[in-house]
Amino acid sequence: MDATFPHSPSRRLFLKTGAAAGGGLLLSFNLPAAGRAEGEATANPFSAFVRIAPDGVVTIAATRPEIGQGIKTSSPMLIAEELDADWSRVRIEQAPIDAKVFGEQSAGGSTSTPDDWTPMRQVGAVGRALLIQAAAQRWKTPAAGLTTEPGFVVDAAGKRRASYGELAQAAAGLAAPDPKTLVLKDPKTYRIIGKPQKQSDTPAIVTGKPLYGIDVRVPGMLYATFLKAPVFAAKVAEVDLAPAKAVKGVRHAFVVDGGTELEGLLGGVVVVGDTWWAARKGRNALEVTWADHPTSAQSSAGFAAQAAALHKQPPHRNVRTVGDVKAALGGAAKVVQAEYSYPFNAHATLEPQNCTASFKDGKVEIWAPAQNPEDGRELVAKTLGIKPDDITLHFTRSGGGFGRRLMNDFMVEAAWISKVVGAPVKLLWTREDDLQHDFYRPAGYHSLTAGLDAKGDLVAWRNHFVSFGEGEKFVRAAGMNATQFPFGAVPNYALDVSVMPLGVPTGWLRAPGNNAYGFVLQGFTDEVAHAAGQDPVAFRRRLLGEPRLIGEPGKGDSFDTGRMRGVLDLVAEKSGWGRKTGKGVGLGVACHYSHRGYVAVVMEVAVADGQVEVRKAWAAVDVGRQIVNPNGAEQQVQGSILDGVGSAMGQQITIENGAATQSNFGDFPMLRFADAPDVEVHFRVTDHDPTGLGEPALPPAPAALVNAIFAATGKRIRSLPIAGQLA
């Protein structure tokens, strides 16, 4: 995993209790940002809280951004379980953004579940302990003799019971116990965790209630569009603003000089109107001459040619070597070589980038579908020359994130425009803006060589990876972890790297890095298995070997061969691996580890007249001892696999003359319902801390797909997208 996400803060809890408005219990807690002194808590009006009203309704704040991964439901489930709340009487509301109180409030890297697993349950346990203590005082009996049922405290004999609503006011006057002194529930007693729960926002979504950034309305709001150069970071050379200003409903049109940081405020032309359509018409009336920019010399074809030349030369540097690869390849009974590549790719969130901002009296208020809002706060403060504390941020639900909204360029643009025009502004990107000004998954080029001994065992593996960067630094999201499997399973291993300079913006796309490396590593592993004359599943089993941990325990790159063998065996069983298929039909397998999750996928495809039909996919998943919300978990696995299929089949961003040529879904095709296979999901529970599910199921999907195509046709797909290669 090459992605670098912000480090998780300390998850220490600072708890306090108090009376809620109108009576009841208010349980406030702080999850401090890293760097706060031990024991230093703040009384903050935006404290995270659990409210228990006199009528027994429990309101739980969801602290993370909801981008479709279901955390707005699953995190409150953790609190409600240990509180022993009646889930039918739980209400969920989005918490405000405040790093001083909540610590990290980002969504990325499938980290929300592992980071929230213990502290959120501790919050619920504290609330339950307070309610029991309140009942003990009321009944003048030891607290040890009391227990709870959903929404009630009861005595052991079952003679007395009091609702949480009855006890909430008394509990509010008690001091919160130290969470570390409380014993959390035995999973065997769970009533909420592990049970399928509907997503909290579903009714509002299907009835069209305003939830998303694109839905925000504020009094006096104007609408803005921002036209930027096709070549990234190029500035305006010449423009006549008069045609835009002449459009009815256009209020402002002006040039933004901008800077050179790709994630910041770039140069362009802004048009602001009473309606978005007026602003768009004004923008379309413009004719802009853009200044020359060095990136205009770059292209996808040029990068491919450079990579091919670099593969024939010694690598720029070695990242990791084990054993003597050269000698092992020289003595191998069979040597397998192949070159794999994949293109730049876009996030293509269904909700384009947008932000509403209101700048007034040196302060700015922002409503944004952000994945990483605190970084946005810092960027806006730096760009506008104001203090971070003078920026108020509000979460909105995101219509997809996939890593795109970890960058906050749209937030800076909206805040800047509002400051210039002196009014609240909603900035809304067009679909063309979104595809042509993304932070793309970097392209990559791999020259792979493997050596097999006379028994068909893998004895050497070398990967010369050509990526983007300068010197020993990669551009964002373009690096590769040297401990990607089969590291540790082959006695002679080397990862070599060469880099090319890049002016195209790059960023983290769902399962960063791994979304491409899974295709490369598992595609080539399949080739090696066939060269060894072995069944692809059997070959992987031999390669994984006996259960053991490769890497340091607890580290992100540690790899448990037993857990991977477990999901591989499970998916083989559920898919009926080894069964005969008809002509033009094939089964393909792949397995990959990323984001602390182990996933194996089998796909069945049929190929006829150059067209691929993905008939079905099976997935076996190991993300630890607990699936918090099986309903949401299954959807995340299914969505990840469908995402992987869609991107592999036809998606790419092609750079020509320094600009992206794709502009909309007509030339950047999304997977359609008619082409989406059924995805059957099976979870394998193991005794490890649970982790997230937004990403780990995606990486093996493209590899399983191309391996199935090989089984059906005998043709290897070594570059993505697949479209056009089977004609």
Side-chain angles (χ1 to χ4, degrees):
M1 295 177 290
D2 70 308
T4 303
F5 292 96
H7 292 297
S8 297
S10 165
R11 308 304 285 176
R12 300 187 308 274
L13 291 177
F14 301 118
L15 288 127
K16 62 181 180 177
T17 59
L25 170 64
L26 176 67
L27 178 63
S28 299
F29 58 95
N30 296 70
L31 296 177
R36 176 177 289 170
E38 182 73 41
E40 178 190 344
T42 58
N44 192 300
F46 298 116
S47 291
F49 56 86
V50 178
R51 293 197 313 271
I52 302 177
D55 63 0
V57 171
V58 178
T59 302
I60 301 176
T63 65
R64 302 274 185 175
E66 177 56 64
I67 57 174
Q69 82 282 41
I71 198 66
K72 188 176 178 181
T73 302
S74 60
S75 186
M77 285 173 64
L78 302 178
I79 295 174
E81 180 64 72
E82 292 292 341
L83 183 62
D84 212 2
D86 178 349
W87 184 250
S88 69
R89 308 210 70 199
V90 170
R91 307 292 180 263
I92 298 172
E93 60 184 30
Q94 187 71 58
I97 301 171
D98 193 327
K100 295 177 181 177
V101 172
F102 300 109
E104 190 66 54
Q105 284 184 276
S106 67
S110 295
T111 57
S112 296
T113 293
D115 285 354
D116 288 353
W117 172 246
T118 296
M120 295 299 103
R121 289 184 300 143
Q122 287 178 328
V123 167
V126 167
R128 181 171 176 266
L130 288 167
L131 291 162
I132 288 175
Q133 185 61 38
Q137 291 184 3
R138 172 184 288 193
W139 297 332
K140 297 180 173 55
T141 186
L146 304 180
T147 187
T148 59
E149 295 175 356
F152 290 86
V153 176
V154 298
D155 66 17
K159 296 180 179 179
R160 289 176 293 190
R161 55 195 285 113
S163 72
Y164 285 0
E166 294 176 64
L167 298 169
Q169 189 69 36
L174 302 174
D178 183 345
K180 291 181 291 186
T181 66
L182 302 177
V183 177
L184 300 179
K185 279 188 177 183
D186 185 329
K188 295 177 182 177
T189 68
Y190 285 165
R191 296 183 172 109
I192 298 171
I193 294 175
K195 307 298 188 294
Q197 308 293 347
K198 297 178 181 179
Q199 300 296 328
S200 63
D201 284 343
T202 298
I205 292 170
V206 299
T207 56
K209 297 291 176 59
L211 291 172
Y212 298 91
I214 203 170
D215 297 324
V216 172
R217 302 284 190 277
V218 298
M221 183 180 77
L222 300 176
Y223 294 80
T225 63
F226 192 177
L227 177 62
K228 287 176 285 193
V231 179
F232 309 100
K235 295 180 180 294
V236 175
E238 185 177 345
V239 63
D240 180 4
L241 298 175
K245 292 180 177 180
V247 173
K248 183 179 179 180
V250 168
R251 295 280 197 95
H252 308 274
F254 56 89
V255 173
V256 177
D257 185 52
T260 58
E261 294 295 327
L262 293 175
E263 62 270 31
L265 183 70
L266 298 177
V269 182
V270 171
V271 179
V272 181
D274 293 323
T275 65
W276 186 80
W277 187 244
R280 175 70 188 275
K281 286 181 67 177
R283 166 178 160 162
N284 289 346
L286 294 171
E287 291 188 10
V288 183
T289 301
W290 301 100
D292 292 335
H293 192 278
T295 299
S296 63
Q298 297 183 350
S299 69
S300 292
F303 293 137
Q306 289 181 64
L310 288 168
H311 278 153
K312 297 175 182 178
Q313 303 170 15
H316 291 167
R317 60 190 174 97
N318 172 261
V319 179
R320 191 74 174 261
T321 295
V322 177
D324 190 334
V325 175
K326 183 177 180 181
L329 290 172
K334 183 177 288 187
V335 174
V336 185
Q337 292 180 298
E339 293 188 355
Y340 278 70
S341 64
Y342 42 85
F344 293 97
N345 205 356
H347 297 81
T349 59
L350 288 184
E351 179 194 22
Q353 310 319 307
N354 64 88
C355 180
T356 301
S358 178
F359 185 93
K360 186 177 182 180
D361 299 329
K363 298 183 179 182
V364 63
E365 191 169 6
I366 294 172
W367 296 260
Q371 285 185 247
N372 193 12
E374 288 300 339
D375 276 12
R377 186 196 303 272
E378 294 295 331
L379 187 58
V380 170
K382 177 182 176 182
T383 306
L384 270 60
I386 61 179
K387 297 177 182 178
D389 287 346
D390 288 333
I391 301 172
T392 301
L393 301 177
H394 301 284
F395 272 134
T396 66
R397 187 181 174 100
S398 295
F402 316 118
R404 172 59 180 92
R405 302 183 204 270
L406 289 167
M407 314 306 294
N408 294 285
D409 48 333
F410 52 92
M411 191 184 296
V412 172
E413 291 170 0
W416 179 270
I417 295 169
S418 178
K419 181 180 180 181
V420 171
V421 304
V425 166
K426 175 190 279 189
L427 171 69
L428 178 60
W429 288 23
T430 66
R431 178 64 60 195
E432 291 79 5
D433 292 336
D434 199 49
L435 283 177
Q436 297 185 325
H437 291 280
D438 200 354
F439 290 85
Y440 306 106
R441 189 274 308 277
Y445 312 85
H446 299 252
S447 179
L448 297 137
T449 308
L452 295 164
D453 66 12
K455 296 183 295 182
D457 288 336
L458 183 64
V459 295
W461 178 289
R462 178 179 182 261
N463 182 0
H464 182 182
F465 174 37
V466 176
S467 187
F468 299 96
E470 294 187 32
E472 295 193 0
K473 291 185 177 180
F474 293 104
V475 300
R476 184 187 293 112
M480 182 175 180
N481 194 322
T483 57
Q484 290 267 4
F485 194 77
F487 170 82
V490 56
N492 303 283
Y493 170 94
L495 175 63
D496 297 322
V497 169
S498 297
V499 294
M500 304 176 285
L502 181 69
V504 176
T506 59
W508 300 289
L509 176 64
R510 191 177 195 175
N514 292 280
N515 57 55
Y517 309 146
F519 157 68
V520 172
L521 301 177
Q522 284 293 299
F524 188 58
T525 295
D526 217 64
E527 292 202 50
V528 176
H530 283 276
Q534 298 180 34
D535 173 82
V537 169
F539 181 80
R540 286 172 172 82
R541 285 175 176 148
R542 288 183 64 183
L543 189 57
L544 289 164
E546 293 299 315
R548 65 198 187 281
L549 190 67
I550 299 172
E552 297 182 51
K555 298 294 185 180
D557 59 357
S558 62
F559 180 88
D560 189 323
T561 64
R563 295 179 72 182
M564 186 60 81
R565 171 68 180 267
V567 294
L568 183 63
D569 288 348
L570 180 58
V571 82
E573 173 196 343
K574 297 298 183 181
S575 65
W577 182 264
R579 59 186 163 84
K580 291 185 178 181
T581 58
K583 183 180 179 181
V585 178
L587 294 175
V589 66
C591 54
H592 193 81
Y593 166 73
S594 74
H595 299 83
R596 293 178 267 192
Y598 297 79
V599 183
V601 174
V602 167
M603 284 196 194
E604 180 179 297
V605 307
V607 183
D609 300 324
Q611 300 299 309
V612 178
E613 175 194 357
V614 185
R615 290 183 169 178
K616 187 166 181 176
W618 295 261
V621 182
D622 177 354
V623 286
R625 69 174 63 91
Q626 186 63 62
I627 305 299
V628 177
N629 185 357
N631 182 42
E634 181 182 38
Q635 292 169 3
Q636 285 302 299
V637 174
Q638 291 170 334
S640 294
I641 290 174
L642 295 178
D643 208 357
V645 169
S647 65
M649 289 296 291
Q651 293 176 8
Q652 65 177 328
I653 291 295
T654 306
I655 303 299
E656 290 183 6
N657 301 317
T661 63
Q662 286 76 16
S663 62
N664 211 312
F665 292 150
D667 49 15
F668 190 88
M670 305 295 284
L671 187 68
R672 296 180 179 272
F673 282 121
D675 302 319
D678 174 46
V679 180
E680 186 177 305
V681 181
H682 299 275
F683 291 104
R684 183 174 184 266
V685 176
T686 57
D687 192 20
H688 298 86
D689 288 342
T691 188
L693 268 170
E695 293 164 291
L698 192 155
L705 175 57
V706 299
N707 293 341
I709 291 172
F710 172 78
T713 66
K715 179 178 176 59
R716 283 288 174 194
I717 302 294
R718 299 188 179 98
S719 64
L720 296 179
I722 297 166
Q725 296 193 51
L726 296 171

